[in-house]
Structures are given as C-alpha cells and as structure tokens.
Amino acid sequence: MTPPTIQLENPVSRDRRAATEQGRVPRWRQAAAHLIFITSGLRLTLQSALPQSIDPAAARLALHARFERYVDLLVRWGIIEVEFSGFEDAGSWHGSVIAPNHPSILDAVLLCTRLPGLDCVMNSRLLADPVMSGAARLCDFIRNDTPLSMVRETRDRLAAGRNVLIFPEGTRTSSRPVGPFRHGFALAAARVGAPVRTVLIECDSDYFGRDFRFFRPAPCPIRYRLTASRVFHPSRDEDPRASSAEIEEFFRATLGRDDERARRRAA
C-alpha cells in the first residue's frame, strides 16, 4: 500500500504568512522543531538501553510513523516544503537498493516516510551519537564498520526482500552535485541481482547540510524535491567499480544539469 502523500499546504495563520513573506520562520519555531528531534532521539536511545526484546521490523515501522509525524510538523510550521515524484508504486518495491545523493541530514528521514520498514546502512560513528544511536540499535540498521561485513549483511537483507537505503557517497555531499561514490552498494546489489533505485534529492539550502548546527536560524521554508529516478541492474559479471562509476556519472549529469538551470533562472 502506497503511504499517504504529505500535504504541503502552508498553514493559514497570520504570523505564518508574515514569516513566509519575510523569508524566515520565527526563530523559536525552528529551535522548537530541533529540540523535538533531539528529545525524541534521546528517548529512543534510553529505550534501546533497557533490558527488553524489541523486534527490529516493528521498530522500523514505528520509526516510519515517527518520521511521518515529524516531517508533517516541519511542513505545517513552514520550515520545509517537500515534493515527492515517482514514488507512487513504492509499495511494490522489494529487495531493492535505494541509492540517493545526500545533501541533507533530513534525507533518510524524508525517504523513510515513503518506504515503511526501510532498512539502512549507517555510519558506525552514529553509535556514539546520543541522539541517533538509539534508533540505529532498535532498528538493527547495518553498520559500515568494514566494507566486507557491510556488503555481506546488505546482501542477506536484500535477499530477504528488504529495501536497503545506502548513500553511495558514504557521507553528506561535500561539493555539488555529488561527492565521490563508493562501490559497496553496487557490489551488494550485484551479489543478489537486486535493482539499484536512484533517488535524486534537490534542496535549495545548505542549512541541513554537512556543516549543519542545531539552533542556528535559517531562511525558511527550505524546499526539497525527491525524485525516484532511473533503475540500474548491476550484473554479477560486471566490475562493481564500473557499475558505481556509471551510476555516479548519471547523478553528476542529471543534478549538474538541474544546477545549471537554477543558476540561469537566478541570473
């Protein structure tokens, strides 16, 4: 079943309209939204430390619902606007590598709202983060400690029919349109014949990007567009480095073209 579309209509309150006209949401509203994210993450971290048995599949579905509520809050408060394209049949995706570019800290959050139960490959450093580590442990996300263990675990979950989110850059984008791709995602997909579904993420602000800091105000709304795009099928017989390079070139060509159009419009 396809998840409900997030409504992007702005609230009609007078102060919200005024904030939009000025290009800035009230600072208290941005700070409150960040605080909600932090406290929610801390609660999950405390929950993960309790001596209890939690089914990771159930935890991933619960995280999906939590992220839906949070994104809805950000939209209603005018902090972000989001447009999804090409996700109409996402409910039928199974055993796929979901491979987006990574401009923002919100990328995984937004994608989880489209794909209930989404599995993820996470940076192992997040296990030391008091805000992020709880969700990672409860959901039993895949750690990228070593390439071999990451590929093996990803392969097994793809074979079980799960969709696995992997950011080919391995970290948030450091220079546009994308940073260098690692090839582990293509290797894992080729091992089980899984499709690689690319997602193009466009954002008109660097606020939630690599140098993001909580409680620093930003002009809002920040506009996101997520497009489920071309599907690649890496072959077992193909060098995963060649598959990764082909997919990276697709991102560079497509996103670079969109960046050029945006610059021309601005000029």
Side-chain angles (χ1 to χ4, degrees):
M1 178 178 179
T2 302
T5 302
I6 297 175
Q7 298 300 313
L8 300 182
E9 288 80 12
N10 292 329
V12 296
S13 61
R14 184 174 303 173
D15 62 335
R16 171 67 183 91
R17 289 199 303 270
T20 301
E21 290 168 2
Q22 296 170 7
R24 183 176 296 276
V25 168
R27 183 171 181 174
W28 69 263
R29 192 173 285 177
Q30 296 183 51
H34 296 332
L35 187 61
I36 289 169
F37 184 85
I38 291 170
T39 55
S40 179
L42 291 174
R43 284 198 299 270
L44 290 176
T45 298
L46 290 174
Q47 184 181 351
S48 71
L50 297 176
Q52 56 184 333
S53 177
I54 298 178
D55 177 22
R60 288 192 289 271
L61 288 174
L63 188 66
H64 157 76
R66 186 184 294 264
F67 281 163
E68 275 198 322
R69 292 192 297 270
Y70 184 65
V71 170
D72 181 65
L73 174 75
L74 294 180
V75 171
R76 286 189 289 107
W77 280 8
I79 295 173
I80 67 172
E81 292 179 356
V82 190
E83 177 187 345
F84 292 99
S85 177
F87 289 87
E88 294 79 12
D89 64 341
S92 65
W93 299 356
H94 301 290
S96 298
V97 170
I98 311 301
N101 56 309
H102 198 7
S104 165
I105 197 174
L106 289 181
D107 299 336
V109 173
L110 294 170
L111 284 167
C112 280
T113 68
R114 299 292 91 189
L115 294 161
L118 183 63
D119 211 337
C120 301
V121 172
M122 51 160 278
N123 192 314
S124 57
R125 291 197 302 269
L126 291 179
L127 291 177
D129 188 312
V131 176
M132 305 290 192
S133 60
R137 289 192 178 95
L138 290 170
C139 296
D140 190 29
F141 287 153
I142 302 165
R143 297 166 57 168
N144 70 347
D145 298 81
T146 64
L148 286 178
S149 63
M150 185 275 285
V151 169
R152 184 170 54 250
E153 187 65 28
T154 302
R155 176 201 63 194
D156 292 346
R157 300 192 188 192
L158 289 170
R162 299 184 194 173
N163 294 315
V164 180
L165 170 63
I166 309 178
F167 292 106
E169 296 166 89
T171 185
R172 273 174 281 172
T173 303
S174 56
S175 59
R176 290 192 175 191
V178 291
F181 277 20
R182 303 176 183 180
H183 67 274
F185 75 101
L187 177 58
R191 288 279 178 88
V192 293
V196 175
R197 298 182 180 274
T198 61
V199 178
L200 306 174
I201 303 179
E202 299 166 271
C203 180
D204 67 353
S205 171
D206 294 328
Y207 179 58
F208 285 111
R210 191 177 180 87
D211 298 322
F212 171 69
R213 295 293 182 272
F214 281 113
F215 306 120
R216 185 184 66 191
C220 294
I222 298 169
R223 296 175 176 85
Y224 287 90
R225 181 167 61 193
L226 289 82
T227 305
S229 189
R230 183 175 168 185
V231 181
F232 290 81
H233 297 274
S235 166
R236 281 178 175 270
D237 301 326
E238 186 177 4
D239 183 345
R241 292 177 178 82
S243 298
S244 175
E246 180 186 8
I247 296 171
E248 179 181 341
E249 179 55 33
F250 166 74
F251 273 92
R252 290 189 181 280
T254 307
L255 292 174
R257 184 169 60 244
D258 291 342
D259 282 348
E260 179 61 27
R261 288 173 180 168
R263 284 193 293 270
R264 288 177 180 175
R265 286 196 297 268

